[in-house]
Amino acid sequence: MQKILVARSIFPDVIERLKQYFDVDWNQGDVLPADELKRRLADKDGALTAGEPIDASVLAAAPRLRVVSNMAVGYNNFDMAAFNAANVLGTNTPDVLNESTADFGWALMMAAARRITESEHWLRAGKWQKWSYDSFLGSDLYGSTLGVIGMGRIGQALARRARGFNMQVIYHNRSRVAPQIEAELNAAYVSKQDLLRRADHVVLVLPYTQENHHTIGAAELALMKPTATLTNIARGGIVDDAALADALRSRQIAAAGLDVFEGEPNLHPALLSVPNIVLTPHIASATEATRRAMANLAADNLIAALGEGPRAGQPPNPINPDVIGKARS
Ligand code: GLV
């Protein structure tokens, strides 16, 4: 039987599925530090990860490894140049999380715009003495302008929901989406600067790459309206968190909703002390149904990539399909 490492705790029934095909080494404890990950991968043919960094040194320590299946759509934890050089396949879990993640983007955006967590903290602290006309004034979503940066599958799912709020949708993306998608979403392509100047609510849904590092920093925040909100459901590092904390503290922008952070699970301490922010621990895809779908898709990818099961040799979501069938180097 081929050997695999499941680096994280996942649904036990998915582990049972994997055990039908593989000898499974399952880490149910803390995230494995790099040296322990390398040790556990030394004799493995495949691995299922959820954000563990996999670079050339990890692949070198795992000479039998042929596939790493990430239980996430984002795979910035994979050094794909190293995967290609070693002929190791990477896979991810796109699509199954689009709607849950788009829902959550709205939840964060609405909570930020209407100051839900800020007012709840105040209420819980026993500060509510009387109703007042100017308590926690926020900004409207209905009839406002939504700015989506990153118009991929999740960005489109998010933008599709704007119709019910009678919002104007503007977007920026590496490249324009097809005209029929623009028409369906009633979305207009604009430059990043234009979007930041015009949007009432900016949502980030782009993958993390070197080029996207600090897509939103001090200069970009300075372009935004003082009434605007910023929501990040993409990846830590796309926003300069220190600059954002400054912009929130000085009310350069009204509020932010963040599900992802630079250096998570550690947060920039300044983010914890600004009031006009909604913070969640990377849970945008966290519904029971979606996380199950992601875990099963990650398992499907691993099973098929290692030549087992009904789709043997044809994993559904190869990131670098050119390496399929090539000998490990
Ligand atoms: C979650 O962050 C994912 O990339 O799926």
Side-chain angles (χ1 to χ4, degrees):
M1 243 184 184
Q2 297 183 91
K3 294 184 176 173
I4 64 163
L5 171 70
V6 177
R8 293 281 177 120
S9 195
I10 60 168
F11 299 97
D13 49 282
V14 179
I15 296 290
E16 290 312 310
R17 268 188 71 206
L18 289 166
K19 280 187 177 164
Q20 291 171 19
Y21 303 101
F22 307 118
D23 180 354
V24 180
D25 173 9
W26 184 19
N27 172 42
Q28 295 184 66
D30 292 340
V31 177
L32 297 172
D35 52 348
E36 175 70 1
L37 182 66
K38 286 177 184 169
R39 199 184 60 72
R40 302 265 287 259
L41 284 176
D43 61 346
K44 301 299 188 305
D45 302 283
L48 194 153
T49 55
E52 285 76 4
I54 308 290
D55 61 11
S57 74
V58 175
L59 297 181
R64 300 173 54 91
L65 195 68
R66 286 188 290 124
V67 53
V68 188
S69 167
N70 212 33
M71 185 181 144
V73 63
Y75 51 87
N76 54 301
N77 55 313
F78 288 176
D79 176 343
M80 288 313 300
F83 275 63
N84 288 332
N87 288 337
V88 174
L89 181 69
T91 66
N92 66 341
T93 60
D95 292 321
V96 290
L97 45 53
N98 293 350
E99 304 303 337
S100 301
T101 306
D103 280 353
F104 194 82
W106 276 84
L108 266 186
M109 172 170 58
M110 293 173 87
R114 298 305 304 273
R115 305 176 65 176
I116 287 179
T117 56
E118 187 183 352
S119 59
E120 183 179 354
H121 285 140
W122 181 84
L123 182 154
R124 284 178 187 269
K127 294 183 183 168
W128 193 20
Q129 302 297 336
K130 62 175 172 41
W131 180 91
S132 175
Y133 77 98
D134 62 350
S135 280
F136 295 101
L137 301 179
S139 40
D140 281 311
L141 282 104
Y142 191 86
S144 68
T145 298
L146 173 66
V148 181
I149 303 186
M151 197 51 114
R153 292 165 287 214
I154 299 170
Q156 290 172 29
L158 189 121
R160 197 165 289 121
R161 287 158 170 71
R163 195 179 284 272
F165 285 79
N166 193 28
M167 287 169 102
Q168 188 184 355
V169 180
I170 54 179
Y171 79 98
H172 184 71
N173 197 48
R174 219 170 8 167
S175 49
R176 267 182 92 147
V177 299
Q180 62 271 27
I181 295 177
E182 284 189 356
E184 184 225 332
L185 301 174
N186 200 14
Y189 180 83
V190 295
S191 71
K192 185 172 107 177
Q193 279 71 15
D194 229 26
L195 183 144
L196 294 169
R197 284 193 198 99
R198 286 170 53 189
D200 296 303
H201 304 287
V202 176
V203 186
L204 305 172
V205 209
L206 63 171
Y208 182 83
T209 59
Q210 252 169 11
E211 304 84 74
N212 292 344
H213 184 72
H214 288 185
T215 290
I216 302 293
E220 289 75 19
L221 291 160
L223 296 176
M224 291 174 66
K225 299 180 185 181
T227 49
T229 69
L230 176 72
T231 296
N232 186 7
I233 52 167
R235 269 292 178 277
I238 290 176
V239 175
D240 177 343
D241 285 348
L244 176 62
D246 283 348
L248 290 167
R249 194 184 300 286
S250 64
R251 307 275 165 176
Q252 192 172 38
I253 68 167
L258 303 182
D259 186 48
V260 286
F261 306 89
E262 290 188 289
E264 65 183 56
N266 302 312
L267 269 63
H268 193 294
L271 291 177
L272 294 171
S273 62
V274 287
N276 41 346
I277 192 166
V278 183
L279 304 168
T280 52
H282 203 146
I283 56 169
S285 64
T287 66
E288 166 91 20
T290 292
R291 285 283 165 86
R292 278 194 171 279
M294 291 167 70
N296 275 304
L297 189 53
D300 292 345
N301 275 308
L302 197 50
I303 292 166
L306 288 175
E308 302 286 352
R311 288 187 62 134
Q314 292 179 314
N317 311 105
I319 298 165
N320 53 339
D322 288 353
V323 305
I324 293 176
K326 289 190 184 161
R328 173 67 208 266
S329 60

